Amino acid sequence: MNLSTRQIEILSLIAKGHRDKEIAKHLGMSVRTVDSHLQRLYDRYGVRSRAAIVAKWLLEGGIPMSLECATPVGAVSARP
């Protein structure tokens, strides 16, 4: 499935465990815009959860982008 660069960025950050608020801050957009992108992706893939969208995307050959972003809430950072 052809996805825009922005959709791939959002899916990559979701795959890393980031929440909508963190994604919005990192990409310089509103939380509502992130949610809008995510809803369109849900419809496109026929799913209704973050886990399902990432799983389907990865199974179809999606490759997460290497994006520098803060460690997700609750994750342990490997940085000193």
Side-chain angles (χ1 to χ4, degrees):
M1 205 174 284
N2 284 338
L3 299 175
S4 70
T5 301
R6 184 61 84 193
Q7 289 171 323
I8 294 169
E9 289 172 333
I10 290 170
L11 284 170
S12 296
L13 290 168
I14 289 170
K16 290 182 176 188
H18 294 282
R19 299 180 187 275
D20 290 357
K21 187 174 181 179
E22 296 166 322
I23 295 168
K25 183 176 180 182
H26 181 73
L27 298 178
M29 61 177 63
S30 72
V31 174
R32 187 171 175 164
T33 300
V34 171
D35 184 59
S36 177
H37 280 290
L38 194 51
Q39 291 303 318
R40 278 189 245 119
L41 286 165
Y42 285 161
D43 291 343
R44 190 173 198 179
Y45 280 94
V47 297
R48 290 284 162 227
S49 74
R50 295 168 86 86
I53 190 78
V54 170
K56 276 194 133 180
W57 176 58
L58 293 174
L59 285 171
E60 288 184 357
I63 300 172
M65 298 175 90
S66 178
L67 300 169
E68 291 299 319
C69 193
T71 303
V73 175
V76 177
S77 176
R79 296 180 201 150

